[in-house]
Amino acid sequence: MSRIKVAVVGTGAIAEAAHIPGFLSCSSAELVAVVDSDAANLTTTQKLIEQHTGLQIAGYPSLTALIASGVADAVSLAVPNAFHVPLALEAVAAGLDVLVEKPLALTTKAAVQLKDAASKAGVVVMVGQTHRYRDDVAALKRFVDDGALGKVYHAEARILRRRGTPTGWFTELATAGGGPLLDIGVHALDLAWWLMGKPVPTMVLGNLRRAIGNDQVDFVDRWTAHMPGNQDNAVYDTEDFATALLRFDSDATLSLTASWNVNGMEDDRIIVNLYGTKAGISLEPPAIYGVSHGVLTTTTLPVSSGNPHQKEMHHFIECVRTRQEPLSPVSDAVTVTAMLAAIQRSSEQKTAVSVGWGEESAPRRQ
């Protein structure tokens, strides 16, 4: 079978670090184009690809122009959050399969709209929840799915940076839709919820704070946007700290904390712990905590995270090729979006709220 022709839309850091090398390393994929409305950024990316691979990749100023060219079978959307659903809908309407970065959408209604459009068009829409593609996570998931934990009654997920606010559009609410909750917290939330078995969320109590904001500290490395013009924080109207307690129809709970700036010990890893009636698991390190023969046992798994970005891109191409549902489907992202939106709404209203589903009822437990 001929290779899947894929184009990367957006030429920022995640495109350069993950999407482009991931597709270039996939034998079933052919990277045919890159897309960016900034001509200088587009040219820079094309030159970098040529320098590293010798390939001369076509460039287009917009997704519309790419679609008109007819060169691509699928697109990978590595663009700011506010553009995820509009561009994905345009691609779906053109019959293209889509990989879209997280978070899927800024509202549950928009997420449902994309899910319904993808179902109607019969195309693959996969969401970039990268940590589902880690080897250590896959190993832990085997124990969960086999029932080794018994009934999971609580999970905790967190990722904390002491000073790690990204530069550029990430701190602008109109473009990003939120701060660390939607930037890094979405990874922790999705991973813990998925490992729990995707219970249906019912209630949320959340709190978002801009406690420290754009604090400039000397001698600290921070994440810097890849492209010129996206390297300052002229607008900073998102939160820098997010926390929430979520309740599910199974009566299980999940606690979530994510921050770019905390006056505490830095732990810029995704920490996930699950507690069950028979055993529990941790991600850092990957381990199983249980009881055997009347004594406490701890089993550490000698499995690293691997290369999840590469696995993610390869999996997308395989799903396009075989027409199978992705490991991180758009339907899951609708529920994640609903949880994120409920956290934001709870913080605004300063009270616990029910999880809303846009124009769709809550998913049924499988």
Side-chain angles (χ1 to χ4, degrees):
M1 182 179 178
S2 60
R3 294 189 293 171
I4 302 298
K5 294 178 172 60
V6 61
V8 174
V9 181
T11 59
I14 193 65
E16 182 181 312
H19 293 247
I20 291 171
F23 292 127
L24 287 172
S25 68
C26 182
S27 61
S28 298
E30 179 184 357
L31 181 64
V32 294
V34 287
V35 177
D36 202 295
S37 59
D38 188 305
N41 292 351
L42 186 61
T43 300
T44 297
T45 300
Q46 288 175 288
K47 288 181 178 179
L48 284 173
I49 295 173
E50 185 173 4
Q51 289 171 5
H52 285 89
T53 67
L55 297 174
Q56 294 184 335
I57 302 296
Y60 295 91
S62 67
L63 176 60
T64 302
L66 171 75
I67 291 172
S69 73
V71 300
D73 304 313
V75 293
S76 187
L77 303 180
V79 296
N81 302 345
F83 305 108
H84 288 175
V85 170
L87 292 182
L89 286 172
E90 182 179 358
V92 166
L96 299 179
D97 298 302
V98 179
L99 168 62
V100 57
E101 266 298 331
K102 60 76 197 169
L104 173 63
L106 303 189
T107 68
T108 311
K109 182 178 180 180
V112 170
Q113 181 184 10
L114 178 57
K115 182 186 76 69
D116 291 346
S119 178
K120 184 176 181 179
V123 300
V124 173
V125 175
M126 174 175 143
V127 182
Q129 295 294 168
T130 307
H131 293 271
R132 293 193 185 191
Y133 298 89
R134 291 169 51 165
D135 290 343
D136 49 2
V137 168
L140 290 170
K141 190 73 162 62
R142 293 183 182 182
F143 288 85
V144 178
D145 290 348
D146 193 43
L149 274 61
K151 181 178 176 62
V152 175
Y153 56 86
H154 183 66
E156 54 188 14
R158 70 178 187 272
I159 178 167
L160 301 174
R161 296 175 181 169
R162 189 169 183 182
R163 290 296 185 275
T165 302
T167 59
W169 59 264
F170 288 88
T171 60
E172 185 176 349
L173 189 62
T175 303
L181 178 65
L182 270 65
D183 177 31
I184 52 180
V186 61
H187 278 307
L189 173 62
D190 174 80
L191 186 57
W193 173 71
W194 180 66
L195 284 170
M196 291 175 76
K198 302 190 296 187
V200 177
T202 56
M203 298 290 295
V204 172
L205 177 63
N207 188 27
L208 308 182
R209 297 290 299 275
R210 187 163 62 255
I212 296 175
N214 196 12
D215 187 24
Q216 299 299 319
V217 180
D218 295 333
F219 314 117
V220 173
D221 292 330
R222 61 189 301 203
W223 189 92
T224 302
H226 173 63
M227 292 299 180
N230 192 29
Q231 296 182 347
D232 62 60
N233 292 70
V235 177
Y236 198 140
D237 57 359
T238 67
E239 83 280 357
D240 63 16
F241 176 86
T243 189
L245 179 66
L246 301 98
R247 189 178 185 93
F248 301 93
D249 67 342
S250 62
D251 287 333
T253 50
L254 188 162
S255 62
L256 170 71
T257 308
S259 182
W260 288 329
N261 296 322
V262 290
N263 288 322
M265 184 177 293
E266 168 134 340
D267 195 352
D268 190 16
R269 303 171 298 169
I270 291 183
I271 305 298
V272 171
N273 299 306
L274 264 63
Y275 304 105
T277 54
K278 293 182 180 179
I281 62 171
S282 68
L283 179 58
E284 296 287 351
I288 315 296
Y289 304 90
V291 177
S292 180
H293 298 87
V295 298
L296 297 175
T297 61
T298 302
T299 304
T300 302
L301 306 183
V303 184
S304 68
S305 62
N307 189 338
H309 281 300
Q310 185 180 87
K311 289 181 182 295
E312 178 189 331
M313 305 308 150
H314 288 203
H315 179 71
F316 173 62
I317 294 299
E318 183 64 12
C319 290
V320 171
R321 192 180 67 81
T322 63
R323 314 314 295 173
Q324 65 179 295
E325 181 178 74
L327 184 65
S328 51
V330 65
S331 55
D332 281 6
V334 169
T335 304
V336 173
T337 302
M339 289 189 282
L340 294 170
I343 293 171
Q344 293 174 317
R345 191 169 68 256
S346 172
S347 182
E348 291 170 359
Q349 298 178 9
K350 301 184 187 304
T351 188
V353 300
S354 298
V355 177
W357 299 96
E359 296 180 351
E360 181 183 82
S361 60
R364 294 182 178 178
R365 175 176 292 280
Q366 296 179 350

